[in-house]
Amino acid sequence: MSRRLLPILVSLAGVCLVGLLIYGVLTQSPNRTLDEALAQGQHPLAPNATSSLPRLSGGGASLASFRGKVVVLNFWASWCEPCQLEAPLLERAQRQLERHDATVLGITYRDASPDSEGFVRRYHLTYPNLRDTTGEFAHSYGTDELPESFVIDRHGHIVAIRRGEIDQTFLNQAIALAESS
Amino acid sequence: MSPAGRASIAPPLRRVPLRGHLQRGQPAVKALVALLLCLSASAVLGVGVSTAATGGAGTHTSLPAIERQAMCVTCKIPLQVAQSPQANRERAFIQGLIDEGQTEAQIKRALVSQYGPAVLGLPSTHGFDLVAYLVPLAAILALLATLALLLPRWRRRARAQAAQAAPPPPLGSTDAARLDADLARFD
């Protein structure tokens, strides 16, 4: 009995290891749950809204602390060229959004704070920016490339996603939502 | 599972096939144990090397020395070989701290505060990353369990072999007489 047990156990261990590898590969791939929900006409709640992140300017805040506002959540990093291209657009949108109780909320993705601060100064950004140093907040949004942006309504539901550089048309959705709600 | 055909075999002989099986299986078992030993040793050595690599050196350091211990957090490869804007920013950040005269330990702390623990290439202690810590532990436990299972069997086998090696019983008088006669023919 025991002489059969050993090969069975070894085989089982091998199967477990292969299973772990497959599971690891699958969990490392970007999560597209939010995109799928939007494609089905649903408006999923923004994940990790209550997670507190450090503000670039000091202190801390969470997405939930902006509840009641329309939020354009924008993941960026100072080294990312498309982020540099869209920064002036976002700042222009911010000026319109803030008149309607809405805001752009930047999330720096694993970016050194001196670099992020330099970026904010360079593009004269006035909207708030939080730091995601571990990348876990971004991961919950399925973010694996930069930039990525999400429009979140006043109740904390995601109504639009752009994975890649934004354009004025995308921002207009947020501005229209802010004006109409 | 004891086939009826084997029931008539005398007890000393009945052990022979089992022992024979063990002897045939022995290299495989030993190889398995050796593999498990190697795995656990490499896991232990890996932890040791990692601990040594992340240990706080109190002296001034160089960019290559830190690069060897850091990861490019977006490309997820060692910073030493990474060629990307993020990697270049990390290098510039490290170089800035070196220029300020910070020690290796201070630079590593600063890296973690800016880029998160993943920058040191150490798996986090939650989620799937736990596997990196649990699998070596499981391998060591499996090794211990295998040894616990096999050692008594090996000891039993060694005892059986020792018993087999005992001097044969003296010849009967007929056999002894025949042997003497045969030997006398050669004299």
Side-chain angles (χ1 to χ4, degrees):
Chain A
M1 183 70 182
S2 63
R3 76 181 184 212
R4 286 194 196 138
L5 193 65
L6 195 64
I8 290 172
L9 285 177
V10 171
S11 309
L12 208 64
V15 168
C16 286
L17 272 176
V18 171
L20 269 175
L21 276 173
I22 293 169
Y23 177 75
V25 168
L26 290 180
T27 51
Q28 296 302 311
S29 57
N31 177 3
R32 289 287 174 263
T33 315
L34 298 176
D35 307 61
E36 286 161 13
L38 271 186
Q40 289 168 7
Q42 298 165 6
H43 292 153
L45 268 175
N48 274 347
T50 52
S51 297
S52 183
L53 297 173
R55 274 180 186 269
L56 191 57
S57 52
S62 67
L63 180 59
S65 54
F66 294 88
R67 186 66 57 88
K69 290 176 184 277
V70 171
V71 175
V72 178
L73 190 70
N74 174 249
F75 290 94
W76 64 274
S78 59
W79 49 263
C80 151
E81 282 182 25
C83 305
Q84 294 163 13
L85 294 174
E86 69 179 16
L89 269 183
L90 283 165
E91 180 53 32
R92 229 179 5 253
Q94 170 67 6
R95 289 177 199 157
Q96 289 178 271
L97 288 168
E98 62 190 356
R99 288 201 291 269
H100 303 285
D101 200 19
T103 186
V104 174
L105 176 62
I107 308 284
T108 69
Y109 178 78
R110 288 178 157 176
D111 200 34
S113 49
D115 293 336
S116 307
E117 284 159 5
F119 186 94
V120 166
R121 278 195 301 274
R122 184 175 164 196
Y123 293 100
H124 310 288
L125 305 182
T126 57
Y127 51 82
N129 284 284
L130 307 180
R131 299 181 62 223
D132 182 13
T133 51
T134 60
E136 282 173 21
F137 185 79
H139 189 67
S140 67
Y141 285 78
T143 298
D144 63 332
E145 286 178 15
L146 296 176
E148 289 191 0
S149 301
F150 300 77
V151 178
I152 298 166
D153 70 13
R154 296 189 194 279
H155 306 291
H157 292 96
I158 295 173
V159 295
I161 298 175
R162 174 61 60 88
R163 299 200 186 272
E165 191 182 332
I166 52 161
D167 53 20
Q168 192 56 49
T169 313
F170 179 80
L171 287 173
N172 286 344
Q173 289 180 66
I175 293 165
L177 181 66
E179 286 172 348
S180 64
S181 61
Chain B
M1 289 273 291
S2 58
R6 287 189 184 178
S8 62
I9 300 171
L13 286 175
R14 197 163 47 187
R15 282 199 297 271
V16 172
L18 181 63
R19 212 161 45 224
H21 171 83
L22 267 179
Q23 282 165 345
R24 282 195 303 276
Q26 206 61 39
V29 172
K30 280 184 178 167
L32 174 70
V33 172
L35 178 70
L36 286 171
L37 272 171
C38 285
L39 275 174
S40 55
S42 60
V44 170
L45 278 174
V47 169
V49 167
S50 155
T51 310
T54 54
T59 53
H60 292 292
T61 185
S62 64
L63 180 61
I66 302 287
E67 271 186 313
R68 276 197 293 275
Q69 300 168 51
M71 298 285 289
C72 168
V73 286
T74 51
C75 19
K76 292 172 183 167
I77 55 173
L79 187 58
Q80 201 176 13
V81 293
Q83 295 297 331
S84 69
Q86 167 74 31
N88 293 339
R89 288 299 176 103
E90 285 185 37
R91 283 191 195 96
F93 181 73
I94 294 166
Q95 190 59 57
L97 296 177
I98 291 169
D99 294 345
E100 285 173 18
Q102 295 203 17
T103 63
E104 190 174 307
Q106 288 172 322
I107 292 170
K108 283 187 194 169
R109 275 198 295 276
L111 278 171
V112 170
S113 76
Q114 293 296 337
Y115 299 107
V119 74
L120 293 182
L122 297 175
S124 66
T125 52
H126 60 274
F128 184 72
D129 287 355
L130 263 180
V131 168
Y133 299 103
L134 291 181
V135 166
L137 192 68
I140 291 168
L141 288 177
L143 168 70
L144 291 176
T146 309
L147 287 177
L149 195 74
L150 293 179
L151 278 179
R153 200 182 284 179
W154 288 347
R155 285 171 64 183
R156 273 200 303 274
R157 192 173 70 92
R159 267 192 233 116
Q161 276 180 339
Q164 258 193 347
L171 288 172
S173 58
T174 320
D175 289 336
R178 200 169 60 203
L179 180 64
D180 286 343
D182 286 346
L183 288 173
R185 271 190 283 152
F186 292 103
D187 289 338

